[in-house]
Amino acid sequence: MEEKAGKPISRRKFLFWGAVATTGVLVGCAGSDGKDGRNGKDAVLFSVDWDEETDVVVIGAGGAGLVAAIEAKSKGAGVIVLEKSDNLGGNTAFSGGVVQASGTKYQQQFGISGDTPEKHYQYWLEAGEGVADAELVRTMAYNSAGDLDWLVGMGLTITKIYAIDPIPYIDPELIPARLHVADGLGGGYFSVLKEQAQKSQVDIRIESPVTQLIADADKRVVGVCVGDGEDALYIKARRAVVVAAGGFDCNDELAKAYSPQLYKDLENQLSLACTGNTGDVLKMGLAIGAAPAGFGGTIAYPAMRIGRNEADLPIPGIWVNKYGQRFVNEAAHYGYVARAVFDQEEHIAWAVFDENVRQMGGSVIGGWSDDLAAEIASGKILTADTPEALADAMGVNAGQLALTLQKWNADIADEDADTLYQKAVALQALDTPPYYATSVYFYNVGSVGGLKINSKAQVIGNDGEPIMGLYAAGMAAGGFIGPYYPGSGTAVTATIVFGRLAGRNAAAETAVADGD
Ligand SMILES: Cc1cc2nc3c(=O)[nH]c(=O)nc-3n(C[C@H](O)[C@H](O)[C@H](O)COP(=O)(O)OP(=O)(O)OC[C@H]3O[C@@H](n4cnc5c(N)ncnc54)[C@H](O)[C@@H]3O)c2cc1C
């Protein structure tokens, strides 16, 4: 372990896990280099003179960050929120403003009965396919209604409540309408938080990127470094640091390591997530020994580049893989379907339809021109007079595509049903030439997986114990989502529930002794 000089009037040495300065003198905060300092071999002892101090430092001024800050402030703590970009809101402000909550008074007002936190918990658990942490999803489900009331108390208005589309193996009883839509969508939702933070006089600083978490010799996180070089600022957190810096939505390197589907979406330049979320604080957390959790999936919904712009639009056609076979109920929940598409060989999927669908036009297929001439001319839509010729143009097995269409058309004629995947909407024959095909892509709206937390929102270390003084909330944390995204509102609910828990518990931490 190497000892470095920090600022001149320092009184205490701090462990600087995982980031070794390459020069002899440490002149500012070093960005995390992602090295694994868990064995202590990369740890550096250095001395720091704090420039400022407060009770709770919150990293990130998106949804989870402001929720945590408002909650901590309401418990009497001093709070500083540090935001890397030049504006507030993160992905939360761009979102659809959908919150999942169960057993709410708003469901009753909208005439929806029979939902309970237990059903919600069971749903998230089943959709989590053995990967989602039961303790975390239980915490989310059971806190969701009360936390939504808390937001409504600040001025949030719910304009609509709807249900996710079916998931083949999940009992529909478990997924009643519980997706609460905020007035003004994500922008409206976030403005409620922003106004409340202003009213509560939370100290929020933009253009303040956190570049290092600082832990003391007992491995308690005691502060952060903001910026780099001569302008670096050391802020002491007397009680705790809350990581609310979002996911690694736009970081190719982390996507490649942790989320193949996100990586593919970034490669295809099909991400709608904001560019500020690059997982830097995730790397800092891992470098001080935090355990990773919940990686693998991503938040994505299938789309056709030519403008299927409604995630819940019934799809008047069938989807086939590179072998010309159907592989999923195309109208199932988008997260489930997105995974199914990604699981196909080379991630190839085509939507196939006929002239009758084309004649339904742009009113059914959002964003498409009525005659499709422009899309055909640009090559975004392929067309042919027979299924076999269409298959040749698509590069899929011609005999199999013809058989797939025959089976679909026979099902509709004989049973008026999809006997293969039980799709219950858009049951119409696809037998009128010309035939059309277009590629199915994804839009990505964020990463999944982050720092492992417990139901108090404490960050858990690789030894299974909480890292003292460190909390995480929102998409910076991981473990509450399984291999596919279980529906709009899951992410925002995680920002609210774990944001509140993090803020409350951080404010209640015993303060680091004066002089430390
Ligand atoms: C178009 C779109 C629609 C969506 N719709 C929904 C929806 O309706 N419902 C739903 O549940 N989910 C939705 N999602 C996903 C959801 O919005 C996000 O997952 C969630 O809001 C993330 O909240 P967060 O607080 O964790 O992160 P964010 O709100 O993204 O905030 C993170 C903040 O941390 C800052 N930051 C990052 N690194 C640092 C650093 N080193 N120092 C300081 N600050 C840092 C970022 O700049 C950012 O402001 C949507 C996403 C998109 C893109």
Side-chain angles (χ1 to χ4, degrees):
M1 199 175 291
E2 198 181 347
E3 187 165 340
K4 303 277 177 190
K7 296 207 171 180
I9 55 165
S10 57
R11 282 176 294 186
R12 173 120 195 222
K13 290 171 180 170
F14 291 90
L15 267 180
F16 194 174
W17 290 88
V20 182
T22 49
T23 58
V25 181
L26 191 69
V27 289
C29 309
S32 168
D33 61 1
K35 280 187 185 169
D36 185 346
R38 280 167 277 190
N39 299 324
K41 63 184 167 59
D42 294 323
V44 176
L45 266 179
F46 75 104
S47 303
V48 66
D49 170 27
W50 299 111
D51 294 297
E52 286 185 56
E53 60 180 78
T54 187
D55 291 317
V56 176
V57 167
V58 176
I59 309 174
L66 288 205
V67 167
I70 292 165
E71 181 74 5
K73 190 83 183 177
S74 77
K75 301 297 174 197
V79 179
I80 295 176
V81 180
L82 300 165
E83 168 56 44
K84 159 174 152 175
S85 71
D86 60 2
N87 54 39
L88 312 183
N91 271 341
T92 306
F94 291 111
S95 77
V98 179
V99 180
Q100 280 202 31
S102 41
T104 69
K105 55 176 83 134
Y106 320 103
Q107 286 173 306
Q108 281 177 16
Q109 286 162 11
F110 280 83
I112 300 151
S113 57
D115 195 14
T116 62
E118 185 59 24
K119 285 185 185 173
H120 202 175
Y121 161 63
Q122 289 297 338
Y123 163 62
W124 269 331
L125 202 60
E126 286 188 28
E129 295 186 349
V131 176
D133 181 325
E135 184 195 350
L136 297 184
V137 292
R138 179 187 286 278
T139 302
M140 284 168 61
Y142 277 84
N143 282 283
S144 63
D147 285 353
L148 191 57
D149 285 344
W150 180 73
L151 288 161
V152 169
M154 290 175 199
L156 187 77
T157 306
I158 305 300
T159 57
K160 178 181 163 188
I161 304 178
Y162 67 100
I164 66 164
D165 290 318
I167 297 176
Y169 64 92
I170 288 184
D171 180 354
E173 278 283 304
L174 296 182
I175 44 175
R178 64 165 72 101
L179 278 60
H180 297 60
V181 183
D183 189 21
L185 309 180
Y189 169 82
F190 189 75
S191 67
V192 170
L193 290 179
K194 197 168 140 187
E195 275 168 33
Q196 185 64 37
Q198 277 161 354
K199 263 189 226 159
S200 311
Q201 299 187 318
V202 174
D203 180 352
I204 304 176
R205 306 186 187 174
I206 58 168
E207 296 177 336
S208 300
V210 169
T211 51
Q212 196 57 250
L213 295 171
I214 297 172
D216 68 12
D218 300 326
K219 298 189 185 172
R220 175 176 176 159
V221 174
V222 289
V224 299
C225 179
V226 184
D228 216 337
E230 286 182 0
D231 295 332
L233 194 72
Y234 291 92
I235 303 181
K236 176 176 168 180
R238 283 187 294 261
R239 295 180 193 276
V241 171
V242 176
V243 181
F248 51 100
D249 316 329
C250 311
N251 184 317
D252 290 295
E253 177 203 341
L254 289 173
K256 194 169 190 178
Y258 291 121
S259 175
Q261 189 174 347
L262 171 60
Y263 184 66
K264 184 79 189 162
D265 297 342
L266 291 176
E267 207 176 55
N268 287 336
Q269 299 188 322
L270 286 172
S271 171
L272 301 178
C274 74
T275 53
N277 293 347
T278 47
D280 15 335
V281 191
L282 166 64
K283 285 163 78 177
M284 293 171 211
L286 297 178
I288 63 164
F295 294 109
T298 189
I299 315 180
Y301 62 89
M304 294 156 211
R305 267 189 164 158
I306 40 181
R308 182 182 157 240
N309 53 11
E310 292 283 334
D312 55 356
L313 191 71
I315 299 156
I318 56 170
W319 295 3
V320 298
N321 58 19
K322 69 176 274 195
Y323 297 106
Q325 296 163 321
R326 282 182 76 211
F327 54 88
V328 73
N329 171 348
E330 299 87 349
H333 160 57
Y334 67 82
Y336 177 83
V337 171
R339 178 184 62 172
V341 172
F342 188 73
D343 284 350
Q344 300 311 301
E345 202 170 310
E346 295 175 52
H347 320 300
I348 287 175
W350 293 91
V352 175
F353 54 99
D354 72 347
E355 177 62 10
N356 286 334
V357 172
R358 204 276 304 158
Q359 285 181 11
M360 292 161 77
S363 61
V364 173
I365 308 161
W368 294 22
S369 69
D370 278 347
D371 63 4
L372 297 185
E375 290 87 346
I376 291 167
S378 69
K380 287 178 175 173
I381 290 186
L382 306 176
T383 185
D385 287 336
T386 64
E388 289 82 357
L390 185 70
D392 285 345
M394 294 156 68
V396 311
N397 184 303
Q400 181 60 54
L401 180 63
L403 275 176
T404 299
L405 281 165
Q406 264 174 34
K407 161 81 178 141
W408 172 262
N409 291 332
D411 264 8
I412 305 305
D414 300 344
E415 315 273 347
D416 194 24
D418 167 17
T419 60
L420 207 49
Y421 291 107
Q422 288 75 47
K423 180 158 75 164
V425 296
L427 295 175
Q428 66 182 65
L430 301 170
D431 56 3
T432 305
Y435 296 91
Y436 302 90
T438 188
S439 288
V440 178
Y441 291 88
F442 311 96
Y443 274 109
N444 198 291
V445 289
S447 63
V448 167
L451 301 174
K452 185 175 171 66
I453 56 169
N454 62 16
S455 59
K456 295 177 180 163
Q458 289 176 296
V459 174
I460 303 300
N462 285 302
D463 58 1
E465 296 299 321
I467 295 179
M468 299 314 293
L470 190 63
Y471 290 81
M475 300 313 280
F480 44 86
I481 293 175
Y484 64 89
Y485 186 58
S488 298
T490 304
V492 170
T493 300
T495 69
I496 303 165
V497 170
F498 293 119
R500 279 195 87 188
L501 286 164
R504 190 180 314 151
N505 294 329
E509 285 275 4
T510 308
V512 176
D514 274 353
D516 282 359

